[in-house]
């Protein structure tokens, strides 16, 4: 599973159009800071608590979390709740594809009585 780091600077993969509502010339003063600083000080977006998973979470747990929440990215944290990365739905789809291909190739080679 690939993990992208995007906590130290503005990461446009982690900012959606709704979050950019209310941008003004004043917003760009915070443009080169951290993503959090930009979102809090540079936009009028309301930020909720980040949705995270432990770094030990299984793929099935990750899929369940994606299905239960309206997000496209989940933060990966350790037991002390320090964020270490981000996993997106786009990271998961290739894994699902591999599992599906593996399962279908195994079942097609089985000899049926």
């Amino acid at each position: 599973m690939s993990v992208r780091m995007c906590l130290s600077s503005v990461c446009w993969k982690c900012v959606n159009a709704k979050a950019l509502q209310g941008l003004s010339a004043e917003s760009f003063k915070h443009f080169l800071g951290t993503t959090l600083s930009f979102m809090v000080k540079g936009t009028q977006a309301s930020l909720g608590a980040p949705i995270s998973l432990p770094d030990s979470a299984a793929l099935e747990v990750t899929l369940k979390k994606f299905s239960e929440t309206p997000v496209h990215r989940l933060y990966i944290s350790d037991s002390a709740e320090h964020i270490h990365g981000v996993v997106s739905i786009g990271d998961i789809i290739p894994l699902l594809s591999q599992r599906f291909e593996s399962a279908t190739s195994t079942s097609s080679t089985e000899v049926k009585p």
Side-chain angles (χ1 to χ4, degrees):
M1 184 179 314
S2 70
V3 175
R4 291 187 301 273
M5 295 302 291
C6 65
L7 303 174
S8 61
S9 62
V10 173
C11 172
W12 294 110
K13 292 180 181 177
C14 296
V15 178
N16 62 31
K18 185 176 180 182
L20 297 177
Q21 291 174 340
L23 282 181
S24 66
E26 184 72 20
S27 301
F28 292 96
K29 289 181 181 179
H30 309 286
F31 193 70
L32 296 177
T34 65
T35 302
L36 182 60
S37 172
F38 176 75
M39 295 300 294
V40 171
K41 299 175 184 175
T43 72
Q44 296 174 358
S46 60
L47 298 176
I51 299 172
S52 65
L53 287 170
D55 52 12
S56 60
L59 179 59
E60 291 76 14
V61 172
T62 305
L63 290 171
K64 186 170 176 24
K65 184 66 93 168
F66 273 124
S67 71
E68 294 172 345
T69 57
V71 297
H72 301 281
R73 290 167 195 85
L74 296 169
Y75 293 96
I76 306 301
S77 62
D78 61 17
S79 59
E81 297 187 8
H82 295 115
I83 295 175
H84 290 278
V86 176
V87 63
S88 72
I89 291 174
D91 296 327
I92 302 264
I93 290 176
L95 295 173
L96 292 176
S97 177
Q98 289 170 359
R99 284 192 178 190
F100 178 75
E101 288 174 12
S102 175
T104 57
S105 68
T106 301
S107 64
S108 66
T109 59
E110 291 177 3
V111 177
K112 296 182 182 178

